[in-house]
Amino acid sequence: MDETNYITLFEGKNGDFIQITSMDIEGVMRRRLLDLGFVPGAVVEVVRKSPLGDPIAFRVSQTTIALRREESSKIQGELMNRD
């Protein structure tokens, strides 16, 4: 029963940890996100969602960064178990 849950960062809930598997972003924004630590294999924590769901604060590489739905819905990852 080794079920894997793949979701976008936007779909994550407060307190979730998501390991990035892929990004569907190109150009300058992709380069910026890579520089900030949003790289495949990195574990991202969903820190806080605003009441309307946009933007969302994420913690990656000991840095908290807010992303809009436009970006966070294009980053896919595996939902990590909270043990």
Side-chain angles (χ1 to χ4, degrees):
M1 306 228 184
D2 193 24
E3 187 176 319
T4 306
N5 294 319
Y6 288 99
I7 62 172
T8 65
L9 292 187
F10 182 77
E11 295 169 319
K13 295 177 177 45
N14 289 346
D16 282 351
F17 289 87
I18 302 166
Q19 184 172 23
I20 297 174
T21 56
S22 64
M23 293 174 39
D24 295 330
I25 301 173
E26 300 298 327
V28 175
M29 181 54 73
R30 180 180 179 87
R31 178 80 260 158
R32 181 171 288 159
L33 290 172
L34 291 171
D35 289 344
L36 290 170
F38 287 86
V39 296
V43 176
V44 177
E45 178 186 1
V46 181
V47 177
R48 184 168 187 195
K49 279 191 143 178
S50 67
L52 298 177
D54 193 25
I56 304 171
F58 299 98
R59 182 172 296 123
V60 62
S61 303
Q62 300 180 3
T63 302
T64 302
I65 300 164
L67 295 179
R68 296 174 297 197
R69 179 181 188 152
E70 181 180 344
E71 293 92 19
S72 61
S73 64
K74 295 179 180 179
I75 302 172
Q76 296 80 31
E78 178 182 346
L79 183 61
M80 308 297 287
N81 291 332
R82 288 192 258 174
D83 295 332

